Amino acid sequence: MSMSDETRGRAQQMRDKAQQLQEAAERASDPQERQRLQEKARKLREQSEQQSGMAGGGMYPPE
């Protein structure tokens, strides 16, 4: 497996986990817990986008 395949795989895992966290946030009855889960999901999505950008080998970093 090449380095970019591994990076893509990690990015996909992060997106999957972010989706799970988002779904958990939607089910959470406590507003603070919901906000915490949503924030965690958002951070994971951002990290996965950065990973995907690196795997793509683009010249410019994502904004």
Side-chain angles (χ1 to χ4, degrees):
M1 182 181 287
S2 75
M3 189 68 139
S4 64
D5 288 342
E6 290 177 27
T7 303
R8 268 192 292 271
R10 280 195 299 271
Q12 182 60 50
Q13 287 176 336
M14 283 192 271
R15 282 190 297 272
D16 292 346
K17 181 66 175 173
Q19 181 64 36
Q20 291 171 0
L21 287 169
Q22 185 63 43
E23 290 169 4
E26 291 168 5
R27 292 189 302 268
S29 57
D30 179 32
Q32 289 180 326
E33 179 71 2
R34 182 179 304 126
Q35 185 174 359
R36 186 184 71 79
L37 290 168
Q38 287 174 332
E39 181 65 17
K40 201 168 181 180
R42 183 187 63 78
K43 287 180 182 179
L44 267 176
R45 278 192 299 270
E46 288 174 359
Q47 287 178 338
S48 75
E49 288 170 8
Q50 289 175 356
Q51 288 282 325
S52 294
M54 286 185 233
M59 247 172 78
Y60 303 102
E63 293 181 349

